[in-house]
Each structure stands twice: as structure tokens, then as C-alpha cells.
Amino acid sequence: MSTHPDTIAFIEEQLGGLPIRTRPMFGEYGIYCDDVFVGVICDDRLFLKRSKADPELFAQTSLEAAYSGASPSHAVPRFLLEDADWLTRAVRATAEALPPPKKRKG
């Protein structure tokens, strides 16, 4: 099963106050905030990378693999996807807790 374009549009709308982008990746989608890879959207579900962000913020998520062979990530339940404030804080905290992208040699 793949992610429906409406799901991508909904998540992008919920995160409208952040500098985010999504891009197709391995048949699903990657999500970036400030050019930091923060997670994936697979099978209409959002998975945010584990980081040193405040664990209390992620207390209502579960650790699951987004796809076979993936490392466990924070699986965001639907009711939290609908909470734009929580979602914005979670994505921002994840981006801030992860290392910045490496500069590519050109």
C-alpha cells in the first residue's frame, strides 16, 4: 500500500508554519524540516525519527518500523496528526535534536 496524495497535503497543511518539504522516496515520502531529514510518511502514517528531543513530547506515540528493515521511529497516531500545535512542536523538536545535513562536495 502506498501513501495517498491527500495524506501528504494534510500533513503539509498541518505544518504550514514550518519550513518543511516532502519528497518521494523509495515509493513513499521523506519529510524534511530546515533541510533536516526528520521522518517518513509510509502507508498514510507519519513516522518521526528518534532523537534526543524531549521524550515527554512523544509519550503518546509508539516505536514502530515504518517498513521492513527500518529502525523503529515514533509512529504518530491519527489524533496527534490532527493536532497542528503538537505536530509542529514534535517536528521542530526532532529537527533541532538531529545533526544538520552534511555539506555535499560540489
Side-chain angles (χ1 to χ4, degrees):
M1 187 159 99
S2 63
T3 298
H4 194 276
D6 289 346
T7 301
I8 301 302
F10 177 75
I11 291 171
E12 290 174 341
E13 182 178 310
Q14 291 292 86
L15 295 169
L18 290 178
I20 61 123
R21 68 183 168 93
T22 56
R23 68 176 262 217
M25 181 180 289
F26 309 114
E28 292 289 354
Y29 293 84
I31 184 167
Y32 298 78
C33 180
D34 283 328
D35 291 324
V36 175
F37 180 71
V38 295
V40 294
I41 304 167
C42 292
D43 294 330
D44 291 317
R45 297 179 68 201
L46 175 63
F47 296 85
L48 294 175
K49 291 181 74 170
R50 293 170 71 182
S51 69
K52 294 186 187 257
D54 180 8
E56 287 298 313
L57 185 59
F58 296 95
Q60 296 183 72
T61 67
S62 59
L63 292 177
E64 298 178 33
Y67 52 88
S68 179
S71 298
S73 299
H74 295 285
V76 179
R78 183 71 188 181
F79 75 94
L80 286 176
L81 277 182
E82 294 174 359
D83 182 343
D85 179 58
W86 180 89
L87 190 58
T88 298
R89 287 185 293 123
V91 169
R92 182 183 308 279
T94 300
E96 290 173 352
L98 293 171
K102 293 180 181 177
K103 302 276 186 198
R104 292 187 180 211
K105 294 181 182 178

